[in-house]
Amino acid sequence: MKRIIIFIKFSILIVTFLVQSINYGQSSYTTTINQVKELLEKNYIFLDKAKETNAHLDKLVQNGTFEGKSPNDFAELLTKELRKITKDKHLRFVYTKSRQASKETKPKFTKNFRRYNVPMLRGFQLHKNNIGYIDLAYFGGSKEHLSKIDLVMKEMERADAIIIDMRRNGGGSPDTVNYLSSYFFDEKLLLNSIYARAHDHTEEMWVAEVSGHKRPKVPVYILTSERTFSGAEDFSYTMQSRGRAIVIGEVTGGGAHPTRYHQIDNSDFGISIPFARTINTITKTNWEGTGVQPDIKMSADLAFDKAKELAITSAKEYSSSAYSPLENILNTVVKNNNSKKYYNDVFTHLKALIKTNMINEGEINNLGYSYLQNEKNHAAIVLFKANTMLFPDSANVYDSYAEALAKSDNKELALINYKKAVATAVQQKDRQLEVFENNLKKFQTQN
């Protein structure tokens, strides 16, 4: 009986060994490697590198390099060998089914929902001196993620310099990268091209229309680390090459090739193959293998402090360059006591500031009253008049203009504008209608 039991146990061991040999041995992996070779030659962005890699794999198979490896070890080793030739960090072979039992007794229900995953936007803040800060974890590929970009850029409208943190960003959608980049360019520019060899197709990435206000002149600082990769490098490289940002931190990971995933037939293996390459319009190349080279190279941990130091100075310069022309022309109006001669210049400067969201109706109104209260009536009149042209559907602009005209003893034009304020308030169903009506009555009574 003991001999029978020993024989049965020995037989089980033999069968187990044979099964493992089939699952993990050369015969099984050779089929997988052959399919990998076929996919590489058909899809990898550089055909010569694909052929060189395949020749390398043939030698490894002949030498039995992959024999007896577990699926996890096989996947890691094959990825390593693929990269020996290509040097491409986007090229990855994976085992999709973990052999280790999950530590969880049951899967988490919430793992299926995006709201419980890491958000694209880690955070944003407006620091002292109007320094904006944005921290992005990745570039998501849905409309929801574009809306997140719009949201944060809305909050950055007051910023006179913006710091964008790419230090922990591993990449993502090229379209979302292009969308964020487009916020910083006013012209219709071709930023990048993406060429796919398999279909001999080139996709052009032009500056896109955005839902918010563009910031074509605001100073931008981008923080990088060695973990900055793929789409995060794309954003950094594009902004740097166009002179729209100063990159501060460490040399980035060096992955410039968009990737597509392929499942290996009848197996639990898959491979991500870079099928295209990015071509920057300015440099005619990309950051593959070299990474984005910072303008200021330093430890990633110190990059934010350095960026903030530089941003404080550039923010003041940006603000001054935006508002100084308007201030100078208003000083000329005050000096010459002439509102008519300089009206067009004032209007042009205000219109430009409105376009870049540097000033609004209420701020123009407040500015006008600051001149009026200091008895600089001509400057006040030119500002209030411009406001009526810029915001013709606002009852308040006509009321303010009328007040300035009345103080300058231009009663006829003042009456016209008091009446226009009331009429506009009625038309727009303005809650302050009674205030405008009382101002009109008071003026008529006194005059």
Side-chain angles (χ1 to χ4, degrees), residues 139 143 145-151 153 173-185 191 205-212 214 235:
F139 288 92
K143 289 184 179 179
H145 293 113
L146 298 185
S147 297
K148 293 281 186 183
I149 299 292
D150 293 331
L151 168 69
M153 290 307 295
S173 167
D175 291 325
T176 308
V177 171
N178 193 66
Y179 191 75
L180 177 58
S181 301
S182 296
Y183 261 98
F184 301 102
F185 298 95
L191 298 179
M205 309 298 286
W206 289 83
V207 168
E209 294 297 323
V210 298
S211 296
K214 293 201 170 194
F235 176 72

Side-chain angles (χ1 to χ4, degrees), residues 128-143:
K128 191 177 178 181
N129 300 304
N130 274 7
I131 309 299
Y133 173 76
I134 305 169
D135 187 3
L136 286 177
Y138 58 88
F139 288 92
S142 70
K143 289 184 179 179

